[in-house]
Amino acid sequence: MKRSTSNTTSFTRPTRRDFLKSAGASCLGVCALSHEAMAQIDAAQPEQAQVVLRCAVMSDVHFNGDPNAAEVERFRRAVDFTYRFAQDQPYKNFDALVVVGDMSNHGVEQELTLFKKEMDAALHEGTRALLCMGNHEFYGGNQDFWRGVFGVEPNARYTVNGYQFIAISPEKGTMKDGDYLYALEWFEKEIEEADRLETDPNKPIFIFQHYPVSPTVYGGRGHDDWGLEDLFDTLQKYPRVINFSGHTHYPINDPRCAWQGCFSAFGTGTLSYICHGGEGGKYEKYPAGSNNFAQFYIMEVRADNSVKLMPYDLITNDFFDVVYYVHKPGDVKSYEYTDLRYSTSAKPVWPQDAYAKVLEVSDDGARCELKQAQCPDVTHSYRFDLQAFDTRENAWKDDDQQYFWSQYFLRNQPETLQLTLSGLQPGTAYRAKIIPFNPFLRAGDKALEISFQTKPSIYGNIDHGADAPQPDVLNLYCQDGALVNLPQNDLAQQKKIEIVGAPEIIEEPRLNNTQVVRFNAQENYFKIPFTTDEYNTLRRATIGATFALDPDGKGVGAVFGNTEQRGVELSVNYDEKQLAFWAYINGRYHILRAPVTLGEYVTAYGVVDGRTATLYINGKVAAHEQARGALAHPTAPELQAFCLGCDIEAGGKGGYFMKGAIAKAQLFSWALSQKQIENLSK
């Protein structure tokens, strides 16, 4: 797809395709090229461009044992397409299938034997299968079983058409540094022997293992590092090595999946589901429709030993508009997929007809549309720098930054995007600057701007400035022998309280005979179901409770909240006599801890305001830390519930049961001030 761009003058910037064509015409080192640019190179040097080796390179196929699973059909199509592609070329061979681990979900018999059966049926005579193990092969299996199914060694050196390939498998699938060290001596001998056999210093040696080598490709460095360092020191001695890794499921059309330093490395994507690290949790890890992705490489080695990698999309049945090209393996000075790109790559720019507009607002969000920025690589994403108008101070205040993918990982990337800002404050004026990023996270120089006002709260008009405000989400306490919920809003009667087991409600002499609910560290608790829309109002929040913890409690007990796969909660470690405030912000849990006296009633509040997280005990700050960003909550329906007396666990059942008593529990949809918490704690 052509995506023309222009600046504010009449000069027209080249399309991505045109840019790559010009790059290919001017540089025979290493460039990310379009297919047209590659064809120009081939036409200019027809003898050198003759293909002498062709492979399909893939990873993370993830057979689950079901012959009707999507991954089985994708694997068949990938192999079949490679044969059909080869038949249309002057060199018609499909010489080797390279699978870089995780051909199964658990490494068990039903999965591995199905993969072996499908692979044997798909490959024609003359096509070698080159395999290594991934971490998933160890979840229910081991090296001996894998070896028995495939009849090959997990660690092996192969020769295909005169080119050396070395496969190395982890020892136990730990996903930690050290998982390849058991075979390091073998590996060093094999790569030394391969280097000795290949007398041409520019003839590539292919190495493949499941985990990325840190710090090389996307997914093996920075915030989102799933890589292992075990092999780096060895590989850097051999500049003509071309290394393949899998494991990450990151998109192979992301330019960071190509890396060169003292050797070359490429990430190989997945035939199963796509994901991202989220750049440290800023972006959604699993994009919408993440299961509907399947990518792999067709690799060609030519007579001059240059290597051409063509990323293919099995969903659209088309090549991505990029070719990774290693013109001269071993010539480090010519390498261009280097770390320098993080500071020198072209920034995205807005086209002349760029726009951003607000299509719809709600009480907690706004749906926006924008025309995408353009970049010689790809426009990777957008950051919305939000400001909210504070009516109390009559001033604009910095609000959350929200991040969105450009959907660059789609073969047919849309020219316009619709994005939804969420977790905004009701009845509030907002403005935002929209900043584009390239894949190396370099920001464009110009921003688009929008402004809007959210609708009033679904919880009604609550005075956020009151000295002792009433909760607008949950207000739980005991009355007439029952737990009731009476927040200050019109939805109070719509929140059903589910009783699990038989929590005991008693009168507490220490609180002037106020009724409290007692929990005995068994499966006795209360559960209040929530919806995604209700969670979306809790990007900022205050959670609080008044409770007493029994001195003979053991381990960890949850007082109030939910933290299974994100969320917010107050909990206690009885053994360490510590209270903890958990808040999932920007991709990770912030856990604030402070000493707590067991056996006495205390009032605790946890507050997230978009910049910090704070734990208060009896009205005083007990712990505080920077925590920029919004709260994120469970998305699986069975996990969407706040619990009193325990936490939610996988499947929606209770866990981490509390031993003690609770007098009240409160949840607010905004961040209370310290003075308000002091008043509520008296």
Side-chain angles (χ1 to χ4, degrees):
M1 177 177 63
K2 293 187 177 181
R3 302 193 294 273
S4 61
T5 62
S6 64
N7 60 18
T8 54
T9 70
S10 59
F11 172 72
T12 301
R13 295 181 62 85
T15 65
R16 168 174 162 75
R17 186 181 297 272
D18 291 338
F19 176 88
L20 295 175
K21 285 174 65 175
S22 64
S26 63
C27 176
L28 292 182
V30 183
C31 300
L33 305 171
S34 71
H35 289 273
E36 288 89 338
M38 198 72 234
Q40 287 185 357
I41 294 175
D42 293 349
Q45 47 183 31
E47 292 184 3
Q48 295 93 324
Q50 292 178 3
V51 175
V52 296
L53 172 70
R54 180 177 293 114
C55 305
V57 184
M58 61 184 64
S59 181
D60 296 88
V61 183
H62 286 292
F63 275 31
N64 64 8
D66 179 2
N68 297 314
E71 288 80 2
V72 176
E73 185 267 343
R74 292 170 185 174
F75 176 75
R76 292 170 182 164
R77 285 200 293 116
V79 174
D80 179 66
F81 172 75
T82 307
Y83 281 115
R84 288 188 289 108
F85 173 81
Q87 287 303 304
D88 290 337
Q89 310 302 314
Y91 180 80
K92 300 186 180 301
N93 292 355
F94 172 11
D95 299 298
L97 168 69
V98 181
V99 183
V100 192
D102 278 9
M103 57 277 297
S104 68
N105 276 355
H106 305 93
V108 297
E109 181 177 6
Q110 183 180 6
E111 297 169 354
L112 289 184
T113 54
L114 177 62
F115 183 82
K116 177 69 161 56
K117 175 184 176 183
E118 290 290 338
M119 182 178 69
D120 289 347
L123 296 184
H124 302 176
E125 184 178 354
T127 303
R128 302 277 298 277
L130 313 182
L131 313 174
C132 72
M133 298 177 71
N135 57 296
H136 278 260
E137 273 68 71
F138 291 90
Y139 290 169
N142 53 50
Q143 286 197 357
D144 286 341
F145 181 70
W146 188 91
R147 183 186 290 112
V149 171
F150 292 104
V152 296
E153 290 297 319
N155 305 319
R157 178 163 57 87
Y158 304 91
T159 302
V160 183
N161 291 16
Y163 289 88
Q164 301 293 307
F165 289 77
I166 300 176
I168 181 169
S169 296
E171 182 179 18
K172 297 179 180 178
T174 65
M175 298 188 290
K176 296 179 180 179
D177 286 330
D179 214 1
Y180 290 109
L181 293 184
Y182 80 105
L184 188 59
E185 183 178 353
W186 170 88
F187 178 65
E188 289 177 339
K189 289 180 179 178
E190 291 299 321
I191 193 172
E192 183 178 351
E193 177 65 10
D195 186 61
R196 185 188 66 80
L197 291 172
E198 305 292 14
T199 56
D200 183 340
N202 298 123
K203 190 172 184 179
I205 299 172
F206 299 100
I207 311 290
F208 60 101
Q209 77 291 321
H210 186 61
Y211 305 116
V213 176
S214 295
T216 59
V217 298
Y218 180 35
R221 60 187 300 128
H223 289 299
D224 307 322
D225 185 0
W226 291 91
L228 275 63
E229 298 178 356
D230 299 351
L231 306 179
F232 184 83
D233 288 344
T234 300
L235 292 175
Q236 69 175 342
K237 301 174 186 177
Y238 302 94
R240 54 181 163 149
V241 158
I242 293 181
N243 179 251
F244 293 113
S245 61
H247 189 56
T248 65
H249 293 233
Y250 291 177
I252 60 176
N253 67 312
D254 188 309
R256 293 170 295 175
C257 281
W259 175 90
Q260 290 178 305
C262 39
F263 59 97
S264 302
F266 297 91
T268 55
T270 176
L271 294 193
S272 186
Y273 61 90
I274 200 171
C275 68
H276 291 75
E279 313 298 351
K282 295 182 177 69
Y283 301 83
E284 184 63 35
K285 182 175 181 179
Y286 300 100
S290 60
N291 288 328
N292 196 33
F293 284 86
Q295 305 169 347
F296 75 105
Y297 292 118
I298 290 182
M299 179 184 77
E300 294 180 339
V301 183
R302 291 106 76 79
D304 63 355
N305 289 322
S306 62
V307 178
K308 175 182 176 183
L309 283 168
M310 297 173 283
Y312 189 80
D313 179 40
L314 277 164
I315 303 304
T316 60
N317 298 313
D318 199 1
F319 286 103
F320 283 97
D321 188 26
V322 63
V323 175
Y324 300 127
Y325 179 48
V326 184
H327 171 63
K328 202 170 184 180
D331 183 9
V332 174
K333 292 181 180 179
S334 71
Y335 288 173
E336 294 190 9
Y337 300 138
T338 67
D339 291 345
L340 191 63
R341 295 174 297 168
Y342 286 85
S343 59
T344 62
S345 55
K347 299 177 181 179
V349 297
W350 297 106
Q352 191 171 16
D353 58 348
Y355 68 87
K357 61 184 178 181
V358 177
L359 302 177
E360 183 181 11
V361 295
S362 63
D363 62 333
D364 68 324
R367 186 164 60 91
C368 311
E369 182 178 278
L370 60 86
K371 184 161 186 178
Q372 297 233 47
Q374 307 295 336
C375 184
D377 287 306
V378 289
T379 297
H380 169 273
S381 60
Y382 301 93
R383 187 184 75 210
F384 281 64
D385 290 344
L386 285 158
Q387 288 188 317
F389 191 75
D390 189 327
T391 55
R392 290 175 293 185
E393 298 187 24
N394 196 35
W396 288 98
K397 297 292 187 67
D398 288 342
D399 201 83
D400 297 337
Q401 293 176 324
Q402 297 195 28
Y403 295 81
F404 300 91
W405 299 115
S406 69
Q407 299 186 40
Y408 73 95
F409 35 78
L410 297 177
R411 172 61 185 86
N412 296 323
Q413 182 186 7
E415 294 187 2
T416 61
L417 285 179
Q418 289 193 5
L419 310 169
T420 299
L421 298 166
S422 60
L424 307 181
Q425 296 300 300
T428 302
Y430 283 91
R431 63 188 184 188
K433 292 184 176 180
I434 307 170
I435 300 167
F437 287 85
N438 79 359
F440 304 98
L441 303 185
R442 300 196 74 205
D445 293 325
K446 294 183 178 181
L448 298 182
E449 297 185 14
I450 56 172
S451 60
F452 57 92
Q453 177 146 343
T454 53
K455 293 181 178 180
S457 172
I458 63 171
Y459 294 120
N461 295 317
I462 307 297
D463 184 2
H464 290 192
D467 291 339
Q470 290 297 301
D472 63 337
V473 183
L474 292 176
N475 187 22
L476 302 167
Y477 57 92
C478 296
Q479 179 177 284
D480 299 329
L483 184 72
V484 298
N485 175 40
L486 292 176
Q488 296 298 302
N489 65 66
D490 296 334
L491 300 181
Q493 303 308 316
Q494 298 180 31
K495 298 306 297 177
K496 179 183 178 183
I497 301 176
E498 298 179 4
I499 304 173
V500 181
E504 182 184 11
I505 296 177
I506 63 171
E507 291 186 351
E508 176 56 82
R510 290 178 291 175
L511 297 178
N512 298 320
N513 291 326
T514 297
Q515 291 185 341
V516 301
V517 57
R518 277 202 56 81
F519 301 94
N520 60 2
Q522 303 298 319
E523 294 191 15
N524 302 307
Y525 59 95
F526 295 95
K527 182 176 178 181
I528 303 98
F530 263 62
T531 67
T532 298
D533 287 343
E534 290 166 341
Y535 276 126
N536 284 340
T537 67
L538 300 176
R539 304 277 284 189
R540 294 189 183 86
T542 301
I543 186 171
T546 297
F547 53 91
L549 304 163
D550 287 2
D552 60 346
K554 302 295 182 182
V556 174
V559 178
F560 177 43
N562 70 328
T563 53
E564 177 68 24
Q565 299 179 14
R566 309 178 181 181
V568 61
E569 186 173 80
L570 295 169
S571 68
V572 61
N573 186 314
Y574 289 96
D575 302 331
E576 298 179 2
K577 299 180 182 179
Q578 280 196 332
L579 188 68
F581 169 45
W582 292 60
Y584 193 91
I585 301 168
N586 225 348
R588 70 180 181 90
Y589 283 109
H590 290 259
I591 308 172
L592 285 70
R593 296 183 173 91
V596 65
T597 302
L598 304 184
E600 296 182 4
Y601 275 93
V602 298
T603 298
Y605 284 92
V607 178
V608 172
D609 65 7
R611 300 172 189 81
T612 62
T614 308
L615 171 63
Y616 296 87
I617 298 179
N618 294 331
K620 305 299 182 183
V621 175
H624 177 82
E625 71 180 38
Q626 297 296 312
R628 186 171 182 86
L631 276 171
H633 300 275
T635 55
E638 68 272 14
L639 302 178
Q640 294 184 321
F642 275 83
C643 285
L644 196 68
C646 76
D647 192 6
I648 287 280
E649 287 195 318
K653 295 183 178 181
Y656 297 99
F657 299 104
M658 172 189 172
K659 190 171 188 183
I662 299 177
K664 70 175 182 181
Q666 300 177 324
L667 185 61
F668 302 77
S669 68
W670 77 95
L672 270 62
S673 69
Q674 182 172 356
K675 187 64 177 177
Q676 289 173 319
I677 287 174
E678 288 177 358
N679 294 335
L680 290 170
S681 300
K682 291 178 181 177

